[in-house]
Amino acid sequence: MATATYPIGGLQTPAKRPALSEYFRWSIDHKIIGVQYMVMAFVFFIIAGGMAMLIRWELLTPAIDLMASGSSYNTLFTLHGTMMIFTWIVPMFAGFGNYLIPLMLGAKDMAFPWLNAFAFWLIPPAGLLLIAGYFVGPAEAGWTSYPPLSTIYSPDGQTLWALSIHLLGLSSILGAINFIVTIKNMRPPGMGWFQMPLFVWATFATSIIVVLATPFLAGALTLLILDRVAGTTFFNATAGGDVLLWQNVFWFYSHPAVYIMVLPGFGILSELLSVHSRKPIFGYRMIALSSMAIALVGFTVWAHHMFTSLQPELRIPFMITSFIIAVPTGIKIFGWLGTIFGGKIRLNSAMLFGLGFLSLFVIGGISGMMLGSVPVDIHMHDTYFVVSHFHFVLFGGSVFAIYGGIYHWFPKFTGRMLNERLGKIHFALTYFGFFFTFFPMHMVGIAGMPRRVAEYDPQFQNWNLLIGFSAFVLGFSTFVLVYNVFVSIYRGKVAGANPWRALTLEWQTSSPPPAYNFVGDPIPFEDPYGYGTDASKAYLEAMEARFGESFNPEKPKALPPTTPTPAPEPSAGD
Amino acid sequence: MDYGHSNKPEGGVSGTLIATVGIVAVLLVIGGILIAQFTPVIFPTQASAESLQIDQLFAVLLGIGGAIFLLVEGALLYSIVRFRVKPGETGDGPTVHGNALLEIVWTAIPAVIVVILAFYSFSVWQDIRAPKDNEMVVNATGARFAWTFNYDVPISGDTLTAFEQGERMSALKQTDDGGYMLPVTSNILYTYVGDSVRMVMNTQDVIHAFWVPEMRIKQDLLPGRQTEARFTPIATDDVARQRTFTSRADNALTAYREDSDTRGLNDVFGRRAVDVITLSDTFDQATFDAVVKAVRDTRAQYPTIEPYATQFLESARGLLSAEISTLVDEPTLQLFAETFVINYSQYRVVCTELCGSGHGAMYAFIRVYDSEDAFLRSFIDPAIDRAVNPPDNPVVRGAQILASGAYPCAGCHILQESPTDEAGNIYSIEWAGVTGPSLEGIGDRAAGARSSSTGEAPEEYLYHSLYVPGDYLVPGFGNLMNNFQASDPTAPNYMPVEDAKAIVAYLCTINDTGESVCDLDNLNTYAENFTDDN
């Protein structure tokens, strides 16, 4: 076993990047679609981030001055929230999933390539609908759009908003079905459920949530649209409707949606920490199964978003389930700590973002526990404390995972390494910009500043100045990454197949992978995180012999601009 | 690495490991306790009985959270420092796949912690929502973008006789058990230390949320559902705001105009310094005795002393000039203070549920008097007095109605006036809302630009705009105001025609000269013929 060599099927074609025009066309190649998702999501991220900058600019002073009125401010944060959730984090993770899942499974493509493309192409029209709202009176009821503010008190843009979210939800469902079928059916021989990389587990859990929860969002949106355009009164209390109906159904989707937005980040983090500390995942089964536990328990906690509106008798059960979900989350955090503990930690940009995720997400978890307690939430609900909490989870968590994932897999996507020095500058600006933007929000919220206000008590101005200027640093840091990406695509160091010497299957092919990913059937290593064993070294050596030398971050040496023709198939093996 | 296997061949867990774990655990507990000490620093004043319990619960959560924080970040930093590869080092870490014991421990301990927290939170929640003895019911109504608070004041005995003799029984509501109530409406939530308040809340339009940060109490107002919240104000360590009987309106207006950058937000948030008259430079012993006598007489004569006090103090000032400080003993000063200075704390009622364009400016004040006596003298007695002795002059009556906060105008309009009646009573109006058009100088505009653009006489325009504000929108403002109802007394936004006429009469005098720009006879005619439909 220790000296085993691994047979590699067929000849690989040299790596060649697809032409730029491929990315603007209908394509059923999962790698093209993955990049389409990611680039489009990043564009929306920049737009919605610009809105955040305007929000912070407005809040530098206690009065309304930048905005024309409270309405335009409401529009701003409504679109900021909606776009960050539905057109940035969710499609960005869908992009990672599209690109990586077939590769990690050694598959040629997703199970339903055409459906995959269709799901992606639903998103641009949805984005257009959101933006079109500006011409008919944009939505201004917040991303949660509680009726009756969102029904009888909102302009027509609210209808377009609902239609847009409808399309995005449909896209999510189609994508998730595709992931479930792919993961269930297309694993290679030799890869059982518990040999799957944890990113695949996380995507599987996420997809189950999407398929089960998103139809509820669709139902709620349908009722909302009917109330707005067809004169129904589902949410109109004066005509027998009930405003809590919306809140219950909306959060029945939107709380699980929080896990839709963070579980793939957990998966990415597991990959990063194991590879860059060269040590197996600590407690693989517990981490894999805790994703499933979170997915299930996540369906029972929704009403903790309604502790100030829900019937008082019903609040306690939801407090208990919300506390319970802290346990599987804790298992993951301790498992990750166990993974890096005693490892050989490489502090590169990808790892820095991974560790940054861990250090920030735990703060979001702790503030989440506080919010889970009904009496404390009575004070905190709808204050900046909540704003802080969910940005620690969704920015400190999801976005840091996305950044880490970009540094980690960019070599696979493009065949080039990202610039490490720029990466570290990006990390430092992002980390400290983030911390000083969002940590002070805890204090300002507890002290009495509600969320979603353009004018506030002047006693909070100093806090808001600190938050505002930190936010501008955070906003600027994004462009360091953008610059790095553009420079590195053309001038980055050639990566080769496996610069991180990782064991998962996406690295066991050239970078970027050829059409249909692998020539012949790839053979997975028995343990995706089996670092430190002789068998894993032999496997990696066999792969290097197959695909040629990869860039080695520890002994930097320029590789020729094109990957050498792979060596002939090794004769040893079965 | 050693992960504490208990089944190692050597046998047993090493003593060093146990000692290390013990020391780390002790450090974490100490760290958590230290972090929990920050609770009072980051929370606002504790102004209710509930806030004590909630802050205590939060401190426990913060302590546990702080210990977890130190554990995770500590392990993270330790790993980064200790296990970072040295320059030139290559190779992999040890192949450790897990440790069943450790994994069970870090599943079980958090599980136990959350069970304890759930029980603790539950018991605090049960206490907070439990009904208290002798609750004072305050009916709160939220509307975009203002609050109104309704009190039903029981009327009996001599007070009831006063209503009967003054033929003012129509102002009272009969209760189910045959007693009488005076409905009193205010845009300030009045209460006092030790008063168990039960808020009964309704909204006229969208969802709002009632929050007083200092009370730690929050509850949504839901269309179609009546919601409740309870809190009991307590005495605070803050220096209570002191209310004296000068009008603050002039100062407020000046401050507002000078401070135009913040658009009167200091007014909105109630943090402007309040003048406290110092008594030290105006009295000698003989006149002070006279003052004290006069104070006693005044209090005996007028149970609702507040409106008369300013006038009284002004004249006292004019009379007196010598130094007082050496002449007045402590009990006398105390009496004076009890008569003229009423202590109260004032906090802001915040709307925390997004309700539209004016959400950030939707506010009200909650005023907590330091005793029930002060509450009655400052709020209830004047309300009864107004109901028993309504002024005949419609201008005065209009000023009185607006100053009483019976209608929720303050949330959206600016008006800083302190009109007086013939007896010298001052009706202080201090509105600083910014969602609607300012009413400063409304008399001039009604007679000028607005009159010519609407084609109605000033009194017609104003009257019309009270009931159907959407017909004549001021440029730059949307149709956000309530349509008041003239016909249905049970409607939440009922405004009797008599009230509307009085308000219009008063608004007509808000101009440079202070003389009415309106024809009140024409107003009566117009009101008789006016219907909501036109």
Side-chain angles (χ1 to χ4, degrees):
Chain A
M1 151 113 182
T3 54
T5 52
Y6 288 83
I8 308 291
L11 273 177
Q12 298 278 359
T13 49
K16 188 161 144 279
R17 286 205 287 252
L20 197 59
S21 60
E22 291 281 317
Y23 293 102
F24 294 94
R25 290 208 295 257
W26 174 275
S27 166
I28 56 167
D29 179 345
H30 74 100
K31 297 186 292 298
I32 301 275
I33 296 171
V35 173
Q36 284 174 328
Y37 264 114
M38 288 190 269
V39 171
M40 185 208 61
F42 209 90
V43 169
F44 281 123
F45 178 48
I46 302 275
I47 295 171
M51 292 175 178
M53 297 300 106
L54 289 175
I55 288 172
R56 292 318 318 179
W57 188 0
E58 169 63 62
L59 292 177
L60 291 177
T61 59
I64 298 186
D65 32 31
L66 177 66
M67 297 293 134
S69 69
S71 280
S72 36
Y73 181 81
N74 293 353
T75 299
L76 207 55
F77 67 71
T78 298
L79 284 182
H80 165 76
T82 307
M83 292 175 76
M84 283 295 189
I85 290 167
F86 292 108
T87 65
W88 157 237
I89 296 182
V90 171
M92 189 68 189
F93 280 137
F96 273 107
N98 260 294
Y99 203 105
L100 295 173
I101 295 292
L103 282 167
M104 286 179 164
L105 297 178
K108 290 178 167 44
D109 206 310
M110 297 283 283
F112 307 119
W114 190 91
L115 190 68
N116 201 20
F118 181 69
F120 168 75
W121 286 102
L122 285 174
I123 299 181
L128 286 179
L129 275 176
L130 268 186
I131 292 164
Y134 264 104
F135 301 101
V136 294
E140 50 177 282
W143 88 274
T144 55
S145 287
Y146 280 8
L149 183 63
S150 61
T151 49
I152 39 190
Y153 291 90
S154 282
D156 289 344
Q158 190 71 46
T159 309
L160 297 182
W161 176 90
L163 288 169
S164 167
I165 306 301
H166 240 319
L167 280 182
L168 294 167
L170 178 59
S171 162
S172 266
I173 294 173
L174 297 179
I177 290 172
N178 216 341
F179 283 132
I180 292 173
V181 176
T182 305
I183 293 167
K184 169 75 179 61
N185 291 331
M186 297 175 70
R187 276 174 288 124
M191 188 190 281
W193 283 99
F194 289 104
Q195 279 87 43
M196 293 196 311
L198 285 169
F199 178 70
V200 180
W201 264 110
T203 304
F204 185 68
T206 305
S207 301
I208 289 175
I209 303 177
V210 170
V211 168
L212 294 182
T214 314
F216 286 85
L217 175 69
L221 289 168
T222 304
L223 301 189
L224 186 79
I225 293 170
L226 287 175
D227 264 19
R228 290 187 55 83
V229 305
T232 58
T233 57
F234 293 106
F235 308 124
N236 186 347
T238 56
D242 186 357
V243 293
L244 285 187
L245 173 66
W246 166 269
Q247 294 186 19
N248 276 300
V249 183
F250 177 81
W251 286 114
F252 189 80
Y253 162 77
S254 291
H255 191 80
V258 173
Y259 300 109
I260 293 172
M261 288 184 276
V262 82
L263 280 180
F266 288 169
I268 288 176
L269 186 65
S270 298
E271 306 293 328
L272 298 183
L273 295 183
S274 179
V275 172
H276 296 291
S277 51
R278 311 300 304 168
K279 195 163 158 289
I281 285 286
F282 194 93
Y284 170 95
R285 272 174 192 255
M286 290 289 267
I287 289 185
L289 293 177
S290 64
S291 287
M292 300 303 289
I294 289 172
L296 293 177
V297 181
F299 275 100
T300 65
V301 305
W302 79 90
H304 69 212
H305 297 269
M306 304 161 57
F307 278 162
T308 62
S309 57
L310 193 70
Q311 292 86 332
E313 299 75 21
L314 291 176
R315 295 179 193 179
I316 292 299
F318 288 99
M319 175 179 83
I320 293 169
T321 53
S322 304
F323 276 154
I324 289 172
I325 209 162
V327 175
T329 314
I331 289 172
K332 281 181 183 291
I333 288 177
F334 292 125
W336 290 323
L337 285 175
T339 303
I340 62 171
F341 195 87
K344 300 277 186 191
I345 296 174
R346 269 72 164 174
L347 276 190
N348 50 39
S349 305
M351 187 62 167
L352 282 172
F353 275 104
L355 296 172
F357 172 121
L358 200 48
S359 70
L360 298 173
F361 185 80
V362 72
I363 297 176
I366 291 168
S367 61
M369 284 252 302
M370 294 169 173
L371 290 170
S373 170
V374 172
V376 173
D377 186 69
I378 293 293
H379 180 65
M380 310 291 198
H381 184 87
D382 269 341
T383 68
Y384 263 85
F385 191 92
V386 176
V387 177
S388 175
H389 162 69
F390 68 72
H391 280 95
F392 264 89
V393 175
L394 292 180
F395 198 125
S398 307
V399 179
F400 270 65
I402 288 168
Y403 282 159
I406 289 174
Y407 285 97
H408 185 72
W409 282 295
F410 187 85
K412 182 51 63 183
F413 299 157
T414 64
R416 303 275 182 158
M417 306 297 291
L418 278 169
N419 183 302
E420 269 297 310
R421 177 184 297 268
L422 284 172
K424 281 171 180 154
I425 293 172
H426 175 217
F427 172 76
L429 290 175
T430 306
Y431 192 85
F432 292 105
F434 172 87
F435 189 85
F436 289 106
T437 300
F438 293 106
F439 197 81
M441 288 184 185
H442 290 119
M443 279 68 150
V444 84
I446 290 176
M449 183 164 165
R451 62 192 283 209
R452 295 171 167 162
V453 294
E455 50 194 313
Y456 57 86
D457 191 330
Q459 68 161 318
F460 302 131
Q461 184 168 14
N462 286 343
W463 282 120
N464 279 287
L465 285 173
L466 171 65
I467 293 169
F469 289 114
S470 306
F472 299 147
V473 172
L474 182 59
F476 169 77
S477 76
T478 316
F479 294 97
V480 178
L481 174 63
V482 173
Y483 175 76
N484 196 351
V485 165
F486 275 107
V487 169
S488 298
I489 281 179
Y490 298 105
R491 294 218 301 258
K493 299 197 172 65
V494 173
N498 191 2
W500 309 123
R501 298 173 49 73
L503 289 171
T504 42
L505 266 181
E506 80 272 27
W507 299 103
Q508 319 314 333
T509 182
S510 53
S511 302
Y516 303 111
N517 300 340
F518 303 91
V519 179
D521 292 331
I523 304 230
F525 184 62
E526 58 195 11
D527 173 0
Y529 305 108
Y531 298 106
T533 59
D534 291 340
S536 70
K537 286 178 187 124
Y539 179 80
L540 289 172
E541 276 163 21
M543 289 299 166
E544 184 157 326
R546 183 83 193 88
F547 296 106
E549 198 178 358
S550 293
F551 179 78
N552 183 346
E554 278 140 33
K555 294 180 199 152
K557 185 179 82 171
L559 294 177
T562 53
T563 310
T565 309
E569 184 176 349
S571 53
D574 58 352
Chain B
M1 282 311 299
D2 185 350
Y3 286 96
H5 290 270
S6 56
N7 53 352
K8 282 186 299 187
E10 305 87 71
V13 180
S14 77
T16 324
L17 182 68
I18 291 178
T20 312
V21 170
I23 290 170
V24 169
V26 169
L27 288 177
L28 290 177
V29 170
I30 293 172
I33 291 172
L34 288 178
I35 290 177
Q37 305 306 311
F38 283 102
T39 304
V41 181
I42 52 183
F43 271 85
T45 309
Q46 294 178 318
S48 73
E50 291 72 19
S51 67
L52 303 178
Q53 282 188 296
I54 290 176
D55 289 9
Q56 185 62 44
L57 172 59
F58 180 84
V60 170
L61 283 162
L62 184 60
I64 293 172
I68 295 171
F69 173 81
L70 293 176
L71 172 66
V72 173
E73 310 290 358
L76 192 60
L77 284 176
Y78 178 81
S79 300
I80 290 173
V81 173
R82 173 78 175 69
F83 303 115
R84 186 179 177 182
V85 287
K86 316 289 177 292
E89 189 181 4
T90 57
D92 294 354
T95 313
V96 179
H97 280 97
N99 178 306
L101 177 66
L102 200 53
E103 288 166 42
I104 289 170
V105 166
W106 71 42
T107 308
I109 291 180
V112 170
I113 290 176
V114 300
V115 168
I116 294 171
L117 288 178
F119 275 104
Y120 182 19
S121 300
F122 176 63
S123 78
V124 171
W125 174 233
Q126 289 295 82
D127 284 354
I128 291 173
R129 57 183 290 246
K132 315 288 189 298
D133 295 335
N134 298 320
E135 288 176 332
M136 178 175 84
V137 176
V138 181
N139 295 285
T141 306
R144 308 204 306 169
F145 302 97
W147 298 93
T148 44
F149 304 101
N150 299 272
Y151 299 74
D152 283 334
V153 180
I155 300 291
S156 61
D158 289 349
T159 323
L160 186 59
T161 315
F163 276 92
E164 281 165 356
Q165 287 172 349
E167 297 184 349
R168 292 290 301 151
M169 290 301 283
S170 61
L172 301 180
K173 280 196 302 195
Q174 199 151 13
T175 57
D176 293 341
D177 55 6
Y180 288 94
M181 298 278 197
L182 174 68
V184 177
T185 305
S186 165
N187 55 17
I188 294 178
L189 173 51
Y190 293 98
T191 174
Y192 56 91
V193 169
D195 177 24
S196 295
V197 182
R198 178 158 74 102
M199 306 291 301
V200 177
M201 304 193 280
N202 290 283
T203 172
Q204 289 190 14
D205 37 50
V206 300
I207 303 173
H208 301 282
F210 173 89
W211 184 36
V212 183
E214 288 78 4
M215 305 286 172
R216 316 280 190 276
I217 205 78
K218 189 183 290 131
Q219 172 61 47
D220 285 12
L221 286 67
L222 301 169
R225 286 170 191 260
Q226 186 163 285
T227 55
E228 293 193 355
R230 290 184 166 85
F231 63 94
T232 305
I234 57 173
T236 58
D237 292 339
D238 294 352
V239 176
R241 285 150 211 273
Q242 291 190 314
R243 180 160 195 209
T244 62
F245 296 121
T246 48
S247 164
R248 292 195 288 143
D250 293 346
N251 297 337
L253 191 56
T254 312
Y256 171 73
R257 285 181 178 141
E258 286 171 357
D259 199 15
S260 59
D261 275 356
T262 50
R263 292 175 58 181
L265 279 164
N266 276 310
D267 293 343
V268 175
F269 292 95
R271 218 165 302 284
R272 193 181 52 247
V274 175
D275 303 315
V276 177
I277 297 172
T278 50
L279 304 173
S280 60
D281 54 352
T282 48
F283 286 85
D284 61 34
Q285 181 64 58
T287 44
F288 190 79
D289 288 346
V291 167
V292 170
K293 181 175 181 306
V295 168
R296 289 190 168 126
D297 292 349
T298 312
R299 287 191 70 171
Q301 188 179 355
Y302 302 108
T304 60
I305 191 167
E306 187 178 333
Y308 306 95
T310 309
Q311 179 199 14
F312 175 78
L313 205 69
E314 288 295 328
S315 49
R317 263 192 188 155
L319 286 169
L320 308 173
S321 56
E323 290 189 351
I324 186 175
S325 53
T326 56
L327 299 173
V328 181
D329 59 359
E330 195 59 33
T332 321
L333 269 180
Q334 189 64 33
L335 173 71
F336 205 92
E338 281 174 10
T339 306
F340 279 119
V341 181
I342 290 174
N343 290 314
Y344 64 87
S345 318
Q346 183 160 293
Y347 308 108
R348 191 167 179 260
V349 176
V350 183
C351 176
T352 48
E353 187 60 66
L354 178 63
C355 56
S357 59
H359 170 55
M362 179 166 169
Y363 76 101
F365 290 123
I366 173 170
R367 189 171 291 180
V368 183
Y369 290 102
D370 61 358
S371 69
E372 183 174 9
D373 179 59
F375 169 77
L376 294 174
R377 278 203 287 140
S378 307
F379 172 52
I380 299 295
D381 290 351
I384 294 173
D385 192 40
R386 279 197 306 273
V388 175
N389 307 307
D392 297 330
N393 182 344
V395 174
V396 174
R397 202 172 113 69
Q400 203 181 61
I401 291 168
L402 293 187
S404 76
Y407 299 101
C409 322
C412 304
H413 298 286
I414 292 171
L415 188 61
Q416 307 270 349
E417 293 285 332
S418 46
T420 57
D421 62 17
E422 294 82 353
N425 299 326
I426 295 182
Y427 304 105
S428 185
I429 299 171
E430 300 173 26
W431 301 344
V434 292
T435 316
S438 166
L439 298 182
E440 297 284 332
I442 179 67
D444 281 340
R445 286 200 304 285
R450 299 300 298 154
S451 183
S452 52
S453 68
T454 62
E456 294 210 284
E459 64 276 9
E460 296 173 351
Y461 160 67
L462 290 171
Y463 187 89
H464 191 139
S465 296
L466 276 174
Y467 286 112
V468 195
D471 282 358
Y472 301 129
L473 291 180
V474 175
F477 293 90
N479 184 16
L480 294 171
M481 186 170 138
N482 268 322
N483 286 20
F484 286 106
Q485 303 289 327
S487 47
D488 176 11
T490 62
N493 44 1
Y494 171 59
M495 181 189 276
V497 169
E498 288 309 310
D499 279 11
K501 289 198 303 199
I503 290 170
V504 170
Y506 170 60
L507 292 178
C508 288
T509 67
I510 301 177
N511 56 45
D512 284 347
T513 65
E515 299 298 319
S516 179
V517 296
C518 301
D519 176 351
L520 295 188
D521 291 334
N522 179 42
L523 177 61
N524 284 330
T525 318
Y526 183 79
E528 272 171 35
N529 299 326
F530 184 83
T531 59
D532 294 359
D533 308 328
N534 59 354

